[in-house]
Amino acid sequence: MIDAESKRLLEAKSGAAAWRRWGPYLSERQWGTVREDYSADGAAWDHVTHDAARSKAYRWGEDGIAGWSDDLQRLCFSVAFWNGRDPVLKERLFGLSGPQGNHGEDVKEHYAYLDGTPSHAWMRMLYKATQREYPYAALVEENRRRSKAEPEYELLDTGVFDEDRYFDVTVDVAKAAPDDLCIRITVRNRGPEASTLHVLPQLFFRNTWSWTSDAARPRLALAAPGEVEAEHAELGTYRLYCDGAPEIVFCDNDTNVRRLYGVADARGYFKDGVDDYVVRGVRDAVNPAAFGTKCAAIYRLDVPAGGAASVRVRLTATRRARPFADFDAIHARRLAEADAFYAVVQRGVESDDARLVQRQAFAGMLWSKQYYGLDVPRWLRGDPAQPAPPEARRRGRNRDWEHLNNADVLSMPDKWEYPWYATWDLAFHCIPLALIDPEFAKDQLTLLTREWYMHPNGQMPAYEWAFGDVNPPVHAWAAWRVFQIDRKRGGGAGDFEFLERVFHKLCLNFTWWVNRKDAEGRNLFQGGFLGLDNIGLFDRSAPLPGGGRLEQADGTAWMAMYALNLMRIALELATRNPVYQDLATKFFEHFLHIAGALNAVGGEEGEALWDPEDEFFYDVLHDAAGRRRRLKVRSMVGLVPLFAVETLDPELLERVPEFTRRLEWFLEYRPDLAALVSRWREPGVGERRLLALCRG
């Protein structure tokens, strides 16, 4: 019998129920990102600071602690806190920007993702709220003072948590239905004395109306004590029910031009209205008529030492006479269903501790899904209802990516440090995600190859700081692994439509690499950092000092791995359509030619990236005068060739006879290349054959 969570995933796949519409898709930080940077010099960290974030309406996304939104981030929910001492509400996570820290940007908060299921029918996270005043200035000043030789100055170092004077704030979200969120916020006082925490569940619309003159403005309004009605032209009507009928205040998710830009006569109830009302007691900062585009329910919780208090709210598309009658039962049921789901997923994991660690790791993956919106041509040229951006922007960052228009939920490397997608990070994410949600993993890999992501020339976007940068080409490897995981999980059929769709687009990307990153057409590749950015002696993504070029052991090995991955996918597709044997042969031969280039087959020994004396792969520097020299730095660069490996079972080779004949002919015709890549003639377990760059 299928468990409840797996049934929800099937309903989402078939379209029977939109279980994926709502999720933890809100970033914990939107300030300081490239998308919000409208400066002339591209100094993203400085254009929208943490201090400005409470007052400035974001253009491309929203942020908040324990934040949720629909999948197009039209309506957003998050939780804010005030301990009675801080100078501002804790609405979003704080940290250092890149130029501020002695070790780069870094979040200065303590929080953890604890649990979750792929449909987001059950999610749990923990945030640690300070009882003393949060040391914003001290963290910035001390880290600015310290050198790179000194450790970072962390939040624990400030003493703010001494004597356990903090709250554990647990946020549990259970869906009663796809559009019905039951949210419990539990505050536990870990300190030795009673203490007060203001908990503010917030509901707000992402600002989509300030950028063009004809955009409709949605509306939040107080419908009854403890009840907010949210009306949106596309999303429809939702209601936020707040248990206990707390005070609810309203403002607008609009920029406070008085505070940020000195427009003294500006009128309105701005984005920071709730902050002004709660922290500074400014009564006219919120709308007395009780409507707007942002609102907050204000709960003051006086929690005894060692005690706990909780808040319950419900965001639903359905009008309910008794919204909290079944609330606790829904939470208990969704947690039990999560336990049942993971009991199946973790079958064979014997240790209770290992199961707990893995389940929390899955929670981290699920909480790190985020809506990502960016229309590059609009970002470059500006919005009709806003001042034109500086002309320098048209010559600056990402100017060659005007086809890119993203508005999707993506797996993020981190929702705080720099909430962005990175194509190769996402490929790695899809491997663990496939163990619990193969449909989402497949959709993610396919999405990055779609025409609104992939450049017309075949390049895949790297990351928003520089979409045109290059990362290791691991997409094919990830697609093949996800296909295998999904096939095993589903009983052996395999999603060939997914594999074929991704394969065709990756052929374009492979061609881009061959045409753009092989300067002399010798199968020796350049590219940049390729994921190894913390070990470079110089910036490998920039022109070399003094001219010349760098032939990279890692770049060349990644391409060998890429060729093998595409060969293996083509062979799998060939079991259904023999035409793919031709492409499998093409990638097999390309792999051998790359192996030959690494070892300078047919050339001079000094051109090889393989050093036979050291038995190691090195980069080779070609200087402006035409001289070559190996850069004898022992690092991960020289170990990447180990990744280029594939095994072929005899049963597979029997099903692709044309490929097998061509393979045997080529190995006989080019014994010099055949001798490099593997012990092909020596069968392994079950008569498997090995293709690899490294023999020993």
Side-chain angles (χ1 to χ4, degrees), residues 62-239:
E62 285 293 345
D63 58 15
I65 298 171
W68 279 61
S69 78
D70 65 280
D71 54 6
L72 289 176
Q73 204 167 95
R74 293 161 291 197
L75 182 59
C76 308
F77 174 89
S78 68
V79 186
F81 310 101
W82 188 52
N83 57 16
R85 296 175 173 86
D86 287 353
V88 294
L89 283 180
K90 180 68 72 173
E91 294 183 88
R92 56 191 56 81
L93 296 189
F94 173 74
L96 303 181
S97 67
Q100 287 178 324
N102 59 328
H103 289 271
E105 60 180 333
D106 181 33
V107 65
K108 299 298 184 186
E109 305 274 9
H110 286 276
Y111 61 103
Y113 305 123
L114 300 181
D115 203 5
T117 58
S119 71
H120 304 303
W122 167 255
M123 301 294 288
R124 170 177 284 171
M125 77 163 289
L126 171 70
Y127 176 77
K128 293 185 179 292
T130 62
Q131 294 178 7
R132 298 182 174 94
E133 181 178 344
Y134 186 94
Y136 290 102
L139 287 166
V140 173
E141 292 305 318
E142 179 61 18
N143 278 290
R144 180 182 289 129
R145 186 193 66 78
R146 293 190 179 192
S147 71
K148 291 182 179 180
E150 297 175 275
E152 297 176 47
Y153 187 58
E154 301 290 7
L155 186 57
L156 280 173
D157 299 330
T158 68
V160 73
F161 288 117
D162 288 356
E163 301 175 296
D164 292 334
R165 293 183 183 273
Y166 68 91
F167 299 100
D168 272 340
V169 182
T170 304
V171 181
D172 295 334
V173 183
K175 291 183 184 177
D179 295 313
D180 190 350
L181 312 181
C182 299
I183 305 162
R184 179 192 288 124
I185 306 156
T186 304
V187 178
R188 292 178 175 84
N189 182 353
R190 299 303 191 189
E193 299 172 357
S195 190
T196 299
L197 185 67
H198 296 74
V199 175
L200 291 85
Q202 297 193 120
L203 189 67
F204 51 99
F205 289 107
R206 177 165 64 92
N207 188 324
T208 56
W209 55 85
S210 293
W211 324 113
T212 59
S213 57
D214 58 349
R217 179 185 283 261
R219 191 174 191 266
L220 300 171
L222 190 66
E227 179 184 344
V228 175
E229 185 178 73
E231 294 180 313
H232 190 281
E234 298 172 358
L235 196 59
T237 301
Y238 278 76
R239 281 176 169 76

Side-chain angles (χ1 to χ4, degrees), residues 35 59-60 72 206 371-379 401-408 410 421 447 450-456 461 467:
R35 283 165 287 164
R59 173 62 181 90
W60 296 104
L72 289 176
R206 177 165 64 92
Y371 170 81
Y372 183 93
L374 178 62
D375 180 343
V376 169
R378 175 63 64 86
W379 178 77
W401 287 78
E402 291 208 29
H403 73 285
L404 192 140
N405 187 345
N406 300 166
D408 300 286
L410 293 164
Y421 69 89
L447 182 63
R450 302 303 293 268
E451 58 272 17
W452 55 93
Y453 282 83
M454 180 179 277
H455 198 284
F467 285 121

